[in-house]
Amino acid sequence: MVSAVSDTLSVQQRRQAQSAPISEAGAGLAGKDKTKSGVALPQWRMESYRRWASVGQGQHQVAAAQTGAQVLRQAKSQLTLLERQVEQALRQGGGDSQGMSQQRDRLLNLNAEYRGAPLIDQQLNLIRGKKGAAPRQYAIKGADLAAAKPRDERVSVQFGDKRTEFMLPGGVESDRVMGALKSGLSELGIQVQRGSDGRPVLMLDKAQQVQLEGGLRMAGQGQRLPAGDGVNIKTQEVYPWADPREWRFESLDQLKQAQAKIRKTLNKVESQISELDSLQAAVSARLDKIRRHTGTGDVDSVMAELNRELARSPFSSQVGALLAQANLSRSQVTDLLRA
């Protein structure tokens, strides 16, 4: 398909060149001769390159969708098997918790990447655009920063090369303390939410997780944190229900909860597979139309349809970043299309 698309656009390019006025063609040749010295290429050639780039993006989107869907189908198979094991354990009043945990852990080993760009996060969500993977959650050990206390407390925080100070109010309910904590830590780009135990949980992206390994240093005034120069705060990762690492199978109550979580995750995975299959079919159909039609009007119309499909793709940012690394030269675009 790639070579056919390139041939089609090359035919169109030659037709445009042949139908151009002599002066324009001459200017085009002059432009070609002067390209190496930095003079812009003729408009018709730049338009052809733009189309080649869009077709290349379409090819990459199809490949990324195929990769993501393949891994999600593996996840669906693993989830279905785990669901059967849990159902059997519930019927029998208990089961092999270790075996179910091992089956769950197989989900954690699934990895979906396209040319180094991750497509699926640890919760089996599609990584959409610039939003990125679902953040990891970390609880602060040994201190409840949202606890109600009788006096105000000024808190300083050092995280990586960033530092901030803010006030946690005293004599108020925990919700207001939590609000002040969220506002204060937002200065460091850290989001905060309440965990299942009511205590604050730090929401960190991949880059912030690396910073956390270098330490989170905090100081207070003796209400929630010790006074002085500050201490390195210990944290512990906690898992939301959507993260398979949170699922447990030791008791009947845990089995019932795991059953509901597995079913929700299966529904999500099936929906995402359908989305990727639909994207792959739509983009492939547009690319096939471009291959079969050489008329300028036909190609322009289908290109517009293709670009609308690409804009709706969950992987638009990942694929766009790949193409942004390429220069607009014919050899480079052709190499990209053949990749």
Side-chain angles (χ1 to χ4, degrees), residues 78-282:
Q78 299 290 350
L79 285 165
T80 300
L81 181 56
L82 179 59
E83 183 181 40
R84 291 172 183 166
Q85 292 175 330
V86 171
E87 289 175 348
Q88 182 178 2
L90 285 171
R91 287 194 301 268
Q92 297 175 349
D96 180 7
S97 61
Q98 183 177 358
M100 286 181 280
S101 295
Q102 291 174 347
Q103 177 61 34
R104 172 205 62 198
D105 291 345
R106 292 187 179 96
L107 292 167
L108 306 177
N109 294 326
L110 294 177
N111 183 39
E113 288 188 351
Y114 183 68
R115 297 199 169 192
L119 305 178
I120 297 171
D121 67 18
Q122 71 276 6
Q123 297 180 17
L124 300 178
N125 300 313
L126 295 179
I127 298 178
R128 298 179 181 275
K130 297 180 180 179
K131 183 179 179 181
R136 297 289 181 97
Q137 303 183 13
Y138 294 85
I140 293 176
K141 299 179 66 175
D144 182 359
L145 298 185
K149 296 292 181 178
R151 296 190 301 275
D152 291 349
E153 182 174 22
R154 178 163 292 281
V155 173
S156 64
V157 184
Q158 181 79 35
F159 185 57
D161 59 357
K162 296 181 179 180
R163 186 178 185 279
T164 189
E165 290 188 2
F166 53 89
M167 185 72 72
L168 296 179
V172 298
E173 67 277 10
S174 177
D175 285 346
R176 288 192 53 190
V177 181
M178 176 67 83
L181 180 65
K182 288 181 178 180
S183 177
L185 290 180
S186 68
E187 296 295 322
L188 302 176
I190 298 176
Q191 298 181 17
V192 183
Q193 71 176 27
R194 281 196 186 275
S196 58
D197 61 355
R199 294 192 174 197
V201 172
L202 310 181
M203 315 290 287
L204 305 181
D205 61 26
K206 187 173 182 179
Q208 290 172 326
Q209 293 165 40
V210 175
Q211 287 183 317
L212 185 64
E213 294 175 0
L216 175 65
R217 193 169 185 83
M218 304 183 75
Q221 294 177 305
Q223 295 293 297
R224 303 166 188 84
L225 292 164
D229 295 333
V231 295
N232 285 324
I233 300 297
K234 294 182 179 180
T235 59
Q236 180 178 10
E237 186 172 6
V238 294
Y239 312 117
W241 73 263
D243 191 320
R245 292 175 294 177
E246 191 269 347
W247 304 347
R248 296 291 181 269
F249 312 98
E250 284 77 20
S251 67
L252 288 178
D253 185 57
Q254 289 179 342
L255 285 167
K256 290 177 182 178
Q257 293 180 31
Q259 184 182 43
K261 295 166 186 174
I262 293 167
R263 173 42 51 189
K264 287 182 181 180
T265 304
L266 262 171
N267 290 339
K268 175 179 66 179
V269 166
E270 290 171 348
S271 176
Q272 292 178 151
I273 291 173
S274 178
E275 178 184 356
L276 293 181
D277 286 346
S278 177
L279 169 69
Q280 179 183 334

Side-chain angles (χ1 to χ4, degrees), residues 63-80:
Q66 289 174 333
T67 301
Q70 180 181 10
V71 174
L72 285 175
R73 286 190 173 89
Q74 295 174 12
K76 178 181 176 181
S77 176
Q78 299 290 350
L79 285 165
T80 300

Side-chain angles (χ1 to χ4, degrees), residues 3 8 36 51 58 66 69 98 104 171 222 249 270 288 302:
S3 60
T8 296
K36 291 183 179 180
R51 291 176 180 174
Q66 289 174 333
Q98 183 177 358
R104 172 205 62 198
F249 312 98
E270 290 171 348
D288 188 55
V302 178

